[in-house]
Amino acid sequence: MTKTAWVFPGQGSQAQGMGVDLLDIPSAQDKFAQAETILGWSVTDVCKSDIEQLSRTLYTQPSLYVVETILADLLRERGHKPDLVAGHSLGEYIALYIAGVFEWSAGLHLVKRRAELMDSASGGMMAALMNFDQEQLAKVIAQTPDVVLANDNSPAQVIISGTTEAVQAVMSQVKSKRAIPLKVSGAFHSPLVATAATEFQEILESVTFQPAVVPVLSNVEPLPSVNPEELKQRLIKQMTGSVRWREISLQLPANGIERVVEIGPGNVLTGLIKRTVSNLTLENVRTAAELPS
């Protein structure tokens, strides 16, 4: 039997119109209605609206959680299940839900509050660097205060985060093929969002985590775990910690995974995995049409 991992993308993968094709499916309709009660706004209305509104953290994160969990549940209804799960930043919440660590509405309540706190965490910036000198980057970051490696995505792509001055200083000193400032409200996955992270920790502590039914690879600690307390502690560190996606990619074959299914809009994660490891079968389930019959 082929060992399969399910992976879930995070903020930045959102696309106008995502999830709208799921409205014809009764179980999806129920989830969208429940989400509207919890959020106070309609995910499908936001997904149909202009991309600027959808791309605001406040709306992006809950919308991705709802759409990705619906797609994953529809896959499970069709008899499919993963042997391992992982998610990129926000995507870790969908992975934990699929692993049975918390129930669906508890996860959405967490994501709603996370989105609110991150949306209000202004100041600083993030930037993506492509095809860069790794040694030079590590050296410059070590010598520059107030900037960190926020996302280690693949050997050819990283994201840095910190004060505007510090991020711009690194961008100007490190040779790269491309350096692109990201459209985000704050310096996520850095110590600059520590105040929001502390407030969110109190909320996380109040939620009971169950043992995972499949192992989870966490962003801040890319080793498989089913331990509920360990998974919670990793999630607590996630808002200020680095997303170690390159290491998660390397862990897939190390854990016997042969096939990876990315569930959610876009194909960001399968693209990153392809650049990091070879010989894995990579698939995407972005829409209802891509669900196996």
Side-chain angles (χ1 to χ4, degrees):
M1 192 92 170
T2 304
K3 280 191 81 174
T4 300
W6 287 4
V7 298
F8 302 93
Q11 199 163 348
S13 62
Q14 67 274 9
Q16 197 171 10
M18 68 178 191
V20 175
D21 62 326
L22 300 168
L23 281 166
D24 298 332
I25 303 166
S27 60
Q29 289 171 7
D30 291 343
K31 279 288 197 317
F32 282 125
Q34 286 179 53
E36 190 164 351
T37 302
I38 292 167
L39 298 169
W41 48 269
S42 163
V43 168
T44 49
D45 284 355
V46 167
C47 290
K48 287 179 197 170
S49 72
D50 63 289
I51 192 68
E52 203 163 304
Q53 185 186 12
L54 176 59
S55 295
R56 187 178 162 194
T57 299
L58 191 67
Y59 298 109
T60 313
Q61 296 189 8
S63 297
L64 285 169
Y65 177 87
V66 172
V67 170
E68 291 179 28
T69 53
I70 288 172
L71 283 168
D73 279 338
L74 289 168
L75 260 178
R76 293 200 290 196
E77 281 175 25
R78 285 158 169 75
H80 299 266
K81 63 180 199 293
D83 298 290
L84 188 74
V85 290
H88 192 285
S89 192
L90 167 83
E92 190 169 317
Y93 288 79
I94 297 110
L96 290 167
Y97 160 69
I98 290 300
V101 174
F102 44 67
E103 55 93 30
W104 187 81
S105 61
L108 184 54
H109 278 289
L110 283 174
V111 168
K112 176 179 185 276
R113 194 68 194 112
R114 180 185 193 262
E116 289 167 350
L117 288 166
M118 289 178 75
D119 189 65
S120 62
S122 57
M125 69 176 285
M126 300 178 79
L129 271 62
M130 271 76 114
N131 294 18
F132 51 91
D133 183 319
Q134 289 182 336
E135 279 185 31
Q136 188 190 27
L137 177 68
K139 186 179 173 184
V140 172
I141 286 178
Q143 293 170 347
T144 310
D146 304 320
V147 64
V148 295
L149 183 67
N151 294 22
D152 180 9
N153 283 332
S154 79
Q157 193 207 92
V158 296
I159 291 172
I160 56 173
S161 182
T163 62
T164 303
E165 298 76 19
V167 170
Q168 287 175 342
V170 173
M171 288 167 76
S172 67
Q173 290 175 66
V174 176
K175 288 176 187 170
S176 63
K177 189 176 179 182
R178 287 172 78 196
I180 308 163
L182 302 186
K183 292 179 182 176
V184 290
S185 60
F188 304 151
H189 297 292
S190 86
L192 290 187
V193 291
T195 304
T198 301
E199 191 174 336
F200 190 61
Q201 179 176 344
E202 292 173 19
I203 299 156
L204 265 174
E205 295 283 16
S206 70
V207 178
T208 302
F209 278 32
Q210 303 298 328
V213 294
V214 293
V216 182
L217 291 171
S218 302
N219 286 211
V220 299
E221 191 59 60
L223 293 169
S225 177
V226 294
N227 182 297
E229 197 47 47
E230 188 171 42
L231 292 170
K232 182 183 279 191
Q233 289 308 312
R234 290 174 174 184
L235 204 56
I236 284 168
K237 296 173 189 168
Q238 197 222 61
M239 205 184 279
T240 55
S242 179
V243 175
R244 294 161 64 182
W245 192 260
R246 180 182 57 82
E247 292 171 76
I248 285 176
S249 299
L250 292 169
Q251 278 295 316
L252 298 171
N255 282 276
I257 295 298
E258 300 162 85
R259 176 172 165 263
V260 180
V261 183
E262 179 177 2
I263 301 167
N267 54 2
V268 172
L269 299 185
T270 44
L272 294 175
I273 292 165
K274 192 176 182 177
R275 290 187 202 107
T276 307
V277 290
S278 55
N279 303 323
L280 290 176
T281 301
L282 303 173
E283 298 171 20
N284 291 84
V285 176
R286 292 163 284 218
T287 61
E290 290 182 330
L291 287 163
S293 54

